[in-house]
Amino acid sequence: MSNKMWGGRFATGPDAIMEEINASIGFDQRLYRQDIAGSIAHATMLAETGILTQADRDSIVAGLNEVLAEIEGGTFTFSRALEDIHMNVESKLREKIGDAAGRLHTARSRNDQVATDFKLYVRDTIDTLVTQVTTLQLALVTRAEEEAETIMPGFTHLQSAQPVTFGHHLLAYVEMLGRDAGRLLDARKRLNESPLGSAALAGTPYPIDRHMTAEKLGFDRPTANSLDAVSDRDFILETLAAATICAMHLSRFAEEMVIWSSAQFSFVRLSDKFTTGSSIMPQKRNPDAAELVRAKIGRILGALTSLIVVMKGLPLAYSKDMQEDKEVAFDALDSLSLSLAAMTGMVSDLTPNRERMRVSAAAGFSTATDIADWLVRELNIPFRDAHHITGQIVALAEQKNCGLEGLTIEDFKFIDQRIDSRIHKVLTVEASVAARQSYGGTAPANVLVQAARWKTLLTGQPHDPKPLGKKKHGTHGDGGL
Ligand code: ARG
């Protein structure tokens, strides 16, 4: 039997393989809500412009709402012979209301329909993702405030560099996530034009009102060129690009969780809720959630790569190639959403090992730069010379097998006579971080100011910086937002 939606000129139906390669219902059924909303807006506009009778409009809208209820109630049977969500919905509508259903497709095509549905879906998804990013940011800010004075080693090249505060480190991710949310919202702004009514590719001779449908569907305006409207997939590419960058940030953070939670580092303990045991090694607590977040970037970038290759070289306007946009995009956006949720859980539940971080922060002569800075500041030695002198001090400590704070004043004077005992006060990791009060620096006072700024930004409520030196909170978020 030929296809009842478009089979007029076909003598036979498609080969089984044709049906299999052609159908998208297996994955585009998740667009049902957007598809029905688009059809209701379209039918309403058709009636208001006199193209459809009010009676037909009423029965179409009522029928579509029944279809919606059936799908949501789980009683709808999707048919592969009907290819996609658009024809599955319309065919069910015909079963319910008869011939009037055939009038719904006046002045539109599946080409503008699918672009509209997918834009609506991506728009909703961006909103969810941005909310999730904000939730993760808030979890990080809460922890950052608690750990504003927790000192950990800061690394470059994954070698001990200078002490930093754990709160400062966590706030670095809040900054990255802030840009990620900005990129997603930026993509949302550009996508928010309605393709509906562009029809197959050229527009339509009916006196439709595209501004009306655009408005009903929450778009800012209709797209201005029908060819562009049905062949544009920039909106999903942009969203996937933003998603990829966000996933890359999560992957870096996840990698740090993996390193920090190892027995050798032991900077943090991940909760039982986000780790797994080993079936053979009873001592193991594997950071699987972090590892999987570290890995998800693969499929998210894969989706971006896949779709940009699909789109490359496609002539205008719609080609069926574009049906390949959905599976990868759904998978990528689902993966990012899951990663954000897992990260939020891990951040809220982790227990920092403050003592261990502090001891580690002092290792590797991490306050050597503070000595050099002291020589510059107090003895007016040029930085390059101060750097050289400090190098000799580090070498001496290495020789004596002690840390910089283990050196006596005689040791310092042996390297340079001009040094006096005041040097001792810059050798501690506490002094080192407290001194870094330059804007954006790691000092605990700065961390508290930045945490308050983010809380204000994220909640829309004014927040003052917490006072320094307050007794640390427990290891879990205090919620105080
Ligand atoms: N399922 C199709 C897609 O996802 C809908 C558009 C079909 N258009 C067409 N002219 N065959 O792209």
Side-chain angles (χ1 to χ4, degrees), residues 6 22-25 27-28 31 83-87 109-115 118 200 233 318-326:
W6 47 248
N22 196 37
S24 55
I25 189 63
F27 46 89
D28 69 13
L31 295 177
E83 288 182 31
D84 54 29
I85 185 62
H86 325 296
M87 298 206 297
S109 140
R110 274 189 295 159
N111 297 348
D112 57 336
Q113 197 178 349
V114 73
F118 203 20
R233 290 296 180 272
Y318 178 87
S319 295
K320 198 60 172 263
D321 309 50
M322 290 160 69
Q323 179 168 284
E324 288 288 310
D325 59 359
K326 282 177 271 312

Side-chain angles (χ1 to χ4, degrees), residues 34 53 73 86 126 145 177 187 202 293 331 358 380 417 433 446 455:
Q34 290 79 10
T53 65
H86 325 296
I126 287 176
E145 222 164 30
L177 290 163
V293 171
D331 179 72
R358 196 205 165 278
N380 198 26
Q417 268 306 321
V433 296
N446 281 10
K455 270 192 181 178

Side-chain angles (χ1 to χ4, degrees), residues 182-197:
R183 269 181 285 269
L184 286 167
L185 289 170
D186 197 41
R188 188 194 196 283
K189 249 183 252 161
R190 252 185 305 282
L191 81 67
N192 207 28
E193 292 186 344
S194 172
L196 194 57

Side-chain angles (χ1 to χ4, degrees), residues 339-410:
S339 300
L340 286 164
M343 252 353 207
T344 304
M346 277 187 277
V347 168
S348 307
D349 277 10
L350 68 76
T351 312
N353 186 340
R354 292 167 183 149
E355 190 41 39
R356 170 80 198 166
M357 282 198 242
R358 196 205 165 278
V359 168
S360 176
F365 313 109
S366 66
T367 55
T369 320
D370 296 276
I371 296 183
D373 289 337
W374 185 85
L375 295 173
V376 170
R377 216 171 43 238
E378 301 296 333
L379 303 181
N380 198 26
I381 295 174
F383 185 79
R384 279 290 156 224
D385 300 339
H387 185 283
H388 187 77
I389 295 167
T390 308
Q392 293 175 314
I393 294 171
V394 169
L396 180 61
E398 212 159 22
Q399 224 176 58
K400 294 187 66 177
N401 200 19
C402 66
L404 294 171
E405 21 12 289
L407 294 173
T408 63
I409 189 62
E410 288 73 34

